Amino acid sequence: MPVNGAIDAILRAGHGDPFAVLGMHREGAGLVIRAFLPQASRVVAIDAASGTPVAELERVEQTGFFEGAVAGRTEPFAYRLRLTVGDTSSQIEDPYRFGNVLGDLDVYLIGEGRHRRLYEKFGAHPMSMDGVAGVAFAVWAPNARRVSVVGDFNDWDGRRHPMRFRIGAGVWEIFLPGLAPGTVYKYEVRGATDAVLPLKADPYGFASERPPATASIVAVPGTDAWTDHAWLEKRAPANRRDAPIAIYEVHLGSWKRADGNRYLTYRELANDLVPYAAWLGYTHIELMPVSEYPFDGSWGYQPIGLFAPTSRFGSPADFAAFVDRAHEAGLGVLLDWVPGHFPTDAHGLANFDGTHLYEHADPRQGYQPDWNTLVYNFGRTEVTNYLLGNALFWADRYHIDGLRVDAVASMLYLDYSRKPGEWIPNREGGRENLGAIDFLARTNEAFYSEQPGAITIAEESTDWPNVSQPVYLGGLGFGYKWNMGWMHDTLAFMRQDPLYRRYSQDQLTFSFMYAFSENFVLPLSHDEVVHGKGSLLRKMPGDRWQQFANLRALYGFMYAHPGKKLLFMGGEFAQDREWNHDRSLDWHIVADPAHKGVQLLVRDLNLTYRGLPALYELDADQAGVEWIVSDREQSVVAFIRRARDSNDFVVCVSNFTPVVRQGYRLGVPGAGTYAEVLNTDGGHYGGSGVGNGPLEAQPFGAHDKPFSIVLTLPPLATVMLRRTNGATTAAPA
């Protein structure tokens, strides 16, 4: 019989090592079996092999604690427990007869912070132990006094299934026989101060209840039915700097909804969104965060279930099917990933084991005032290993082709959005978050090493150097960086009345000064169509016709400008109202010829862009752009985009006034006939139809070019021209 203190600790779910008390143990020359089964009135131990009773377990007073000696046996063996509950008798496997879940190597690597695939060990994993099917649970909570798995299977009673503590790793583990995928569960944690905390969702949970419910669900991430092997073999060249990359940014909950404002499921989106994005000519879909999140209004940017695709749209298998369908259509899938901060919800990571485990204890380091969230402690190895493993998880289990990392600036700077006295300098006295810098570099190195062909993209809004340069060259290691400066400056220019644009043309052209300092993506993202900013169309000045023409000219300029492309959903058909995450895009307006024209233009821009190497091959190389003119007085800009083959080039001209400019002489680099390959003023796009037939280059120099053409510039339009014949790029002698 264990001492009364041990029994009392089990009864109040406060024992730090329940496996030392419960289960089968040697006692003297024999064996004893102990169990805590408060629901039972009688418990008998049964030999698992023969099915014969081997011990009657006696209740210790009225406690629910049972104990019995095994007659005539001296060596441990497999057994079951036969319970009598009311008038019903049943047999169960005793969780406390099973051995460790984690191996010694796992414990060592976890302790070292070098286990890159913790998602294979932590969380809830259906498996068999000793030939018995069940679920293995493991969770990191090094400062907890006790952790239990709770759910409907044990009446949410934390006394029933307390876990084993692995000292070397700070991990609690248990194998619960008889459980299966679909089981709803949480962890009950007795914290460092001995207080029982609010029930916690599993940090590694692979599925979650649909919000506002918050429990985790046992699930197998991904699928065994992948059909995208051909895509994975070719995605590396599709993601390279010299490839055409055009990204359609999507919020799954509001792209389109079913009758009754119901969310579409992942499989419905696979049938609808995927072919639509492919028809538009996009190369990639970028999904705003799909990691489970409690608050719809965060759009996913305050996630709690980092390993669980949100249940709003279906199961993990459903999400995998969506990715598979996108790959089948030739579309890469990028995920917005949020490793910088997490919400304060009680069921999440905050104060997880009664201490500031994942977050900094000092609010000057651990609290993000902009979003009322907590900041990960990037100086803690176990925390950065958790996040690094999550990055690898999405590519490994869901075949994700890249991660767009959110709010990188907030991670890099200790004083981000903080006043003097509200932040703590680093060990060198600076404002740089050295732990976050190291984390981002290590994550990028691991991601590119272990997921060939996949990419990472930084949303970084400052002038931090070398964001998209390799770590070995002193960079952060991202593949690409959002060009936030281009977005803000260009939209500021476009908002102005064309009469005054001549005074601020530098806003339009300044980006060419730094266009090759990083591997840039040019975004027109969701950030610009929310919080009272209005839609892209509504930002444009002038009457209704001019608003559409301005928007078309902007899109043409974007596709001519060096850098990969990103457009938020709805922008492709000139969504009129500001984006609202609670309702569908206004698909009915596509019936309007003006909106339909913008949609057709975006499709043609994508197809033209993908078909002309000059528009993408040298996106990150100064040799890819040759300037012609910035004509302030007439608000005209013109430049050349070149492919690696310097004789393959496109002349790009934008007129940002509503004036048709006849007889505009423009310098070009070589003789030959020039023809329009795209004109945003085309009548089928809703434009005025002003354009040019074939233009023969004349041997008259202009704009420091040896030849020139005389063309008509359409109003508020971008025109792209390509030479259809002629091989020389210099004037004849």
Side-chain angles (χ1 to χ4, degrees):
M1 172 74 68
V3 298
N4 287 336
I7 296 178
D8 290 342
I10 294 292
L11 296 180
R12 60 182 175 84
H15 202 291
D17 185 14
F19 280 80
V21 178
L22 301 174
M24 180 182 287
H25 295 273
R26 296 182 187 275
E27 190 167 282
L31 300 172
V32 64
I33 297 174
R34 306 186 188 102
F36 179 67
L37 298 164
Q39 75 275 32
S41 59
R42 184 186 180 201
V43 179
V44 177
I46 306 294
D47 186 303
S50 65
T52 58
V54 293
E56 178 84 23
L57 276 58
E58 300 294 334
R59 180 190 290 270
V60 177
E61 299 177 350
Q62 300 301 313
T63 61
F65 187 92
F66 291 82
E67 181 181 43
V70 179
R73 307 284 286 267
T74 59
E75 295 298 324
F77 58 94
Y79 65 93
R80 297 189 184 97
L81 299 176
R82 186 170 65 205
L83 313 185
T84 300
V85 180
D87 297 329
T88 304
S89 179
S90 62
Q91 289 191 21
I92 66 167
E93 299 282 355
D94 184 0
Y96 296 94
R97 80 169 179 86
F98 294 94
N100 294 340
V101 170
L102 300 178
D104 291 339
L105 180 59
D106 293 318
V107 171
Y108 173 76
L109 291 175
I110 291 168
E112 290 281 302
R114 293 190 295 111
H115 203 309
R116 288 185 173 179
R117 281 180 164 72
L118 284 175
Y119 54 86
E120 295 179 351
K121 302 298 177 180
F122 284 169
H125 294 270
M127 60 181 298
S128 293
M129 290 189 73
D130 299 340
V132 177
V135 176
F137 297 86
V139 62
W140 181 57
N143 304 302
R145 296 286 184 90
R146 185 266 303 162
V147 180
S148 298
V149 185
V150 294
D152 290 337
F153 53 88
N154 62 12
D155 301 318
W156 299 88
D157 185 347
R159 301 173 302 166
R160 299 267 292 274
H161 292 125
M163 305 170 79
R164 175 192 288 113
F165 185 57
R166 303 297 297 276
I167 296 175
V171 175
W172 299 81
E173 63 171 25
I174 195 170
F175 173 74
L176 294 184
L179 300 189
T183 300
V184 176
Y185 72 99
K186 281 187 174 181
Y187 294 116
E188 183 181 282
V189 180
R190 185 179 291 275
T193 62
D194 211 34
V196 177
L197 305 176
L199 296 182
K200 295 290 187 178
D202 191 342
Y204 284 85
F206 300 126
S208 298
E209 289 185 301
R210 181 163 175 172
T214 58
S216 301
I217 300 174
V218 177
V220 178
T223 179
D224 293 329
W226 292 106
T227 63
D228 62 350
H229 311 294
W231 164 261
L232 294 177
E233 290 178 359
K234 70 178 184 181
R235 78 173 176 185
N239 282 340
R240 285 194 325 224
R241 290 185 303 172
D242 61 353
I245 296 179
I247 304 166
Y248 187 49
E249 185 190 22
V250 175
H251 177 261
L252 291 178
S254 59
W255 179 75
K256 185 181 289 185
R257 293 199 176 186
D259 292 343
N261 207 34
R262 174 182 67 81
Y263 288 133
L264 297 183
T265 67
Y266 290 121
R267 294 182 186 270
E268 289 172 326
L269 288 160
N271 291 332
D272 202 348
L273 168 59
V274 166
Y276 176 71
W279 176 81
L280 282 171
Y282 282 101
T283 63
H284 294 72
I285 297 174
E286 180 179 317
L287 304 180
M288 291 167 67
V290 300
S291 299
E292 192 62 81
Y293 52 99
F295 176 47
D296 284 354
S298 78
W299 315 329
Y301 290 104
Q302 294 190 13
I304 280 186
L306 278 187
F307 290 81
T310 177
S311 57
R312 289 166 174 82
F313 317 118
S315 69
D318 294 334
F319 178 67
F322 172 87
V323 176
D324 204 41
R325 183 72 64 84
H327 289 168
E328 181 182 321
L331 290 165
V333 180
L334 310 175
L335 285 191
D336 278 12
W337 186 53
V338 189
H341 62 117
F342 59 93
T344 58
D345 298 58
H347 69 283
L349 298 180
N351 196 41
F352 189 79
D353 65 354
T355 68
H356 299 284
L357 187 63
Y358 286 87
E359 70 273 25
H360 285 279
D362 192 321
R364 293 174 296 173
Q365 297 171 293
Y367 178 68
Q368 179 48 256
D370 280 0
W371 305 301
N372 189 32
T373 53
L374 300 174
V375 179
Y376 286 104
N377 184 348
F378 298 110
R380 189 167 220 163
T381 304
E382 296 92 341
V383 173
T384 55
N385 210 35
Y386 165 74
L387 294 169
L388 189 157
N390 184 247
L392 296 174
F393 166 83
W394 287 104
D396 178 22
R397 295 303 174 90
Y398 289 103
H399 293 195
I400 293 303
D401 303 294
L403 299 173
R404 176 267 196 187
V405 184
D406 180 64
V408 171
S410 74
M411 301 170 67
L412 294 175
Y413 297 98
L414 295 166
D415 63 345
Y416 182 87
S417 196
R418 297 175 188 273
K419 299 174 183 177
E422 294 179 349
W423 60 283
I424 299 175
N426 63 35
R427 62 177 179 267
E428 298 173 0
R431 59 196 285 256
E432 300 81 13
N433 189 330
L434 302 179
I437 295 166
D438 178 70
F439 160 69
L440 290 170
R442 287 194 302 111
T443 298
N444 282 320
E445 282 188 314
F447 196 79
Y448 278 90
S449 171
E450 298 195 18
Q451 298 298 330
I455 56 174
T456 58
I457 304 170
E459 186 217 10
E460 203 286 307
S461 55
T462 74
D463 59 356
W464 188 281
N466 302 320
V467 170
S468 59
Q469 294 302 310
V471 174
Y472 67 83
L473 292 178
L476 288 180
F478 286 94
Y480 297 93
K481 173 182 173 176
W482 271 22
N483 194 337
M484 310 289 282
W486 174 87
M487 178 170 68
H488 295 146
D489 290 349
T490 303
L491 289 177
F493 173 84
M494 294 301 300
R495 284 191 184 97
Q496 297 184 66
D497 188 306
L499 182 64
Y500 304 110
R501 284 175 175 169
R502 71 181 73 179
Y503 303 115
S504 56
Q505 192 146 307
D506 287 347
Q507 288 181 312
L508 195 70
T509 60
F510 177 64
S511 57
F512 286 86
M513 301 292 291
Y514 62 87
F516 311 105
S517 61
E518 300 277 4
N519 304 324
F520 280 122
V521 173
L522 307 180
L524 289 172
S525 75
H526 69 275
D527 284 325
E528 293 306 313
V529 294
V530 290
H531 301 318
K533 296 177 184 177
S535 66
L536 290 177
L537 181 65
R538 289 292 183 176
K539 296 181 196 299
M540 302 297 112
D543 59 25
R544 192 68 168 163
W545 188 91
Q546 289 188 21
Q547 285 183 316
F548 279 96
N550 270 302
L551 187 62
R552 293 193 304 267
L554 167 62
Y555 288 168
F557 176 74
M558 174 185 182
Y559 275 75
H561 193 290
K564 309 311 180 186
K565 324 301 175 188
L566 179 143
L567 182 63
F568 182 56
M569 65 180 197
E572 81 278 7
F573 59 79
Q575 170 88 6
D576 211 0
R577 63 170 176 83
E578 185 174 275
W579 172 55
N580 181 346
H581 70 272
D582 278 331
R583 57 179 283 195
S584 169
L585 296 177
D586 295 330
W587 290 98
H588 62 280
I589 67 175
V590 181
D592 182 320
H595 292 279
K596 184 66 176 180
V598 174
Q599 185 187 53
L600 293 174
L601 171 66
V602 169
R603 182 174 191 264
D604 285 353
L605 281 168
N606 278 325
L607 297 178
T608 301
Y609 167 66
R610 294 174 66 171
L612 297 178
L615 294 178
Y616 61 80
E617 273 190 347
L618 297 180
D619 265 336
D621 190 325
Q622 181 70 56
V625 174
E626 183 179 336
W627 199 257
I628 299 177
V629 66
S630 177
D631 182 349
R632 293 172 179 270
E633 288 305 308
Q634 301 187 83
S635 295
V636 172
V637 294
F639 50 89
I640 299 165
R641 293 298 310 278
R642 290 190 184 272
R644 279 192 290 263
D645 176 358
S646 61
N647 286 312
D648 183 0
F649 60 88
V650 175
V651 176
C652 307
V653 192
S654 295
N655 173 17
F656 289 107
T657 66
V659 178
V660 178
R661 303 202 180 278
Q662 304 280 358
Y664 194 93
R665 184 173 291 277
L666 187 73
V668 292
T673 303
Y674 290 75
E676 290 183 355
V677 292
L678 191 137
N679 181 342
T680 67
D681 192 49
H684 52 302
Y685 302 139
S688 61
V690 173
N692 299 270
L695 300 167
E696 194 67 31
Q698 303 170 2
F700 302 108
H703 304 128
D704 296 324
K705 299 295 182 285
F707 290 83
S708 60
I709 55 176
V710 178
L711 70 162
T712 299
L713 296 184
L716 296 173
T718 296
V719 176
M720 298 182 186
L721 304 110
R722 195 177 188 214
R723 189 170 59 175
T724 60
N725 60 36
T728 63
T729 58

